[in-house]
């Protein structure tokens, strides 16, 4: 991968534009996370009316908005009184990332396809945890699911023991993670009382790459600058995007996070405002991260026109 341009032009798109148009005409493409949240909630209403439970898989490349969609779904489910918070269980596949930060295994993760898929996510362990959760829901019992080597970001990206808590009477299971549809969601293996539903998040590769790198830098990555992290993410995308493309036909819906050309820039403005007003806590400000990127590189990889007020830190 060395010597390649940092621009994302060489990375394939999860869904080419011509295919997005076809998916939209077939009713499989949903524009925006708000609309997608409404659809999932309606599916949940129908499921609960049939005295069943629901398993939702949220898939997509890093930076496409899977976790944000999961948060929106949970908030709306609770707000509308469909379920209480204790009736919802989320399994984050990132807990099963296979390498720690700052290790030789992480440094060599993208060297070959074999090393990447062997060490990216420990899917067998994630499937085991999901199986335990499904079993508890079927027995209408709560309990803890032990993960001896969980990848915890606020622990510096190191492995640490971690327990997931599932409450009695859980009715909604959410899987959030890259490859969750193809690797974790197996409808033919699920009990009949658990209804599966899957969503593939989609952005352009340029949007997803920049957003994933920006998010990581805002949260602080000691010893790694934006350019290095962007390159690492870019190399991961070269493996992830083609693999996820094979799950498009399995997904119930494809959710386009930024359906309009200005939506990505608006999301950056919103994040900047949330940081400035203390709604979101990050280790760095947007201005600190953007100022650390060489100007020509920033212009070449930023999706759209960079908001001047975000660069300067001053509101218009």
């Amino acid at each position: 991968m060395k010597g390649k341009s940092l621009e994302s032009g060489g990375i394939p798109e999860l869904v080419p534009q011509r295919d997005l148009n076809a998916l939209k005409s077939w009713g499989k493409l949903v524009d925006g996370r708000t609309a997608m949240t409404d659809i999932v909630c309606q599916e949940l209403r129908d499921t609960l009316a049939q005295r069943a439970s629901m398993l939702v898989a949220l898939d997509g490349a890093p930076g496409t908005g899977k976790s944000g969609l999961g948060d929106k779904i949970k908030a709306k489910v609770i707000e509308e009184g469909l379920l209480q918070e204790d009736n919802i269980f989320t399994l984050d596949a990132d807990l099963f990332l296979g390498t720690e930060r700052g290790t030789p295994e992480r440094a060599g993760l993208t060297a070959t396809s074999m090393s990447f898929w062997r060490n990216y996510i420990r899917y067998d362990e994630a499937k085991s945890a999901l199986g335990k959760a499904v079993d508890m829901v079927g027995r209408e019992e709560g309990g803890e699911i032990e993960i001896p080597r969980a990848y915890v970001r606020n622990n510096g990206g190191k492995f640490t023991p971690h327990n997931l808590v599932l409450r009695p009477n859980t009715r909604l299971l959410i899987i959030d993670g890259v490859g969750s549809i193809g690797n974790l969601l197996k409808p033919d293996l699920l009990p009949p009382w658990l209804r599966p539903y899957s969503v593939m998040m989609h952005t352009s590769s340029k949007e997803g790459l920049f957003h994933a790198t920006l998010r990581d830098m805002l949260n602080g990555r000691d010893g790694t600058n934006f350019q290095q992290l962007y390159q690492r993410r870019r190399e991961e995308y070269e493996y992830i995007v083609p693999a996820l493309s094979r799950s498009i036909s399995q997904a119930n819906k494809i959710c386009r996070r930024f359906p309009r050309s200005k939506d990505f820039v608006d999301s950056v403005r919103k994040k900047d405002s949330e940081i400035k007003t203390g709604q979101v806590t990050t280790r760095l400000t947007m201005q600190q991260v953007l100022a650390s990127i060489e100007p020509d590189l920033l212009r070449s990889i930023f999706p759209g026109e960079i908001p001047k007020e975000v660069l300067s830190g001053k509101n218009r």
Side-chain angles (χ1 to χ4, degrees):
M1 312 279 178
K2 294 180 180 178
K4 288 190 176 183
S5 166
L6 286 187
E7 295 185 41
S8 58
I11 303 294
E13 298 294 342
L14 178 65
V15 185
Q17 184 59 50
R18 64 181 181 278
D19 293 343
L20 283 172
N21 295 335
L23 289 167
K24 192 172 184 68
S25 68
W26 299 337
K28 192 167 180 173
L29 182 69
V30 178
D31 282 339
R33 293 186 296 186
T34 298
M36 190 68 251
T37 298
D38 291 340
I39 292 171
V40 172
C41 285
Q42 184 56 54
E43 292 288 335
L44 179 61
R45 288 189 197 95
D46 295 342
T47 298
L48 295 175
Q50 296 170 27
R51 299 181 181 274
S53 297
M54 189 171 174
L55 171 61
V56 179
L58 306 178
D59 205 338
T64 54
K66 301 181 295 299
S67 297
L69 176 59
D71 291 341
K72 284 178 173 288
I73 291 170
K74 286 186 285 188
K76 189 173 181 67
V77 166
I78 295 168
E79 178 186 343
E80 296 196 354
L82 297 176
L83 293 172
Q84 297 180 2
E85 186 172 3
D86 282 353
N87 305 134
I88 305 170
F89 174 80
T90 299
L91 180 67
D92 185 352
D94 279 2
L95 289 170
F96 303 93
L97 287 173
T99 60
E100 297 176 291
R101 287 185 207 161
T103 62
E105 292 79 13
R106 174 65 65 87
L109 181 64
T110 58
T112 67
S113 178
M114 182 179 294
S115 66
F116 184 78
W117 292 115
R118 184 178 62 236
N119 296 313
Y120 182 53
I121 292 178
R122 306 188 309 273
Y123 287 110
D124 286 345
E125 294 179 33
K127 281 189 282 189
S128 175
L130 178 61
K132 292 175 183 176
V134 171
D135 182 60
M136 288 182 199
V137 175
R139 290 185 284 109
E140 298 185 350
E141 295 178 359
E144 293 189 349
I145 300 171
E146 297 181 2
I147 307 175
R149 294 189 311 140
Y151 181 92
V152 181
R153 283 192 166 83
N154 59 17
N155 189 44
K158 300 298 182 181
F159 292 148
T160 187
H162 183 73
N163 287 351
L164 295 172
V165 178
L166 186 141
R167 304 293 183 186
N169 300 315
T170 292
R171 302 295 301 279
L172 174 61
L173 300 169
I174 299 175
I175 314 171
D176 169 8
V178 175
S180 60
I181 293 176
N183 293 287
L184 301 179
L185 185 65
K186 304 293 182 183
D188 55 326
L189 300 179
L190 296 177
W193 51 263
L194 186 59
R195 308 292 169 79
Y197 196 85
S198 56
V199 179
M200 181 71 78
M201 293 299 301
H202 173 71
T203 69
S204 71
S205 291
K206 194 168 189 176
E207 291 167 342
L209 274 169
F210 194 92
H211 187 270
T213 310
L214 178 63
R215 175 196 62 200
D216 290 346
M217 291 300 297
L218 285 169
N219 291 330
R221 284 297 179 95
D222 296 334
T224 304
N225 62 35
F226 190 98
Q227 181 172 338
Q228 292 168 329
L229 188 54
Y230 185 92
Q231 176 67 10
R232 188 177 304 156
R233 285 289 190 189
R234 186 188 188 284
E235 292 169 357
E236 291 175 1
Y237 257 58
E238 292 191 13
Y239 295 116
I240 291 170
V241 172
L244 293 186
S245 296
R246 296 194 288 269
S247 296
I248 291 296
S249 61
Q250 297 173 248
N252 290 99
K253 296 292 184 182
I254 313 301
C255 178
R256 182 163 50 180
R257 183 178 179 187
F258 303 121
R260 299 172 299 176
S261 58
K262 73 183 193 69
D263 288 343
F264 177 86
V265 174
D266 285 348
S267 75
V268 172
R269 286 195 177 100
K270 181 181 178 183
K271 175 65 73 174
D272 182 49
S273 175
E274 290 172 343
I275 294 171
K276 288 174 181 173
T277 56
Q279 299 174 58
V280 173
T281 302
T282 58
R283 287 181 59 186
L284 298 175
T285 67
M286 189 78 73
Q287 290 70 46
Q288 287 173 320
V289 173
L290 297 183
S292 71
I293 310 171
E294 193 276 323
D296 288 341
L297 173 63
L298 177 59
R299 283 191 292 271
S300 70
I301 63 177
F302 189 87
E305 184 176 350
I306 307 167
K308 292 182 174 59
E309 71 274 22
V310 173
L311 278 174
S312 66
K314 298 178 181 178
N315 294 321
R316 287 179 177 174

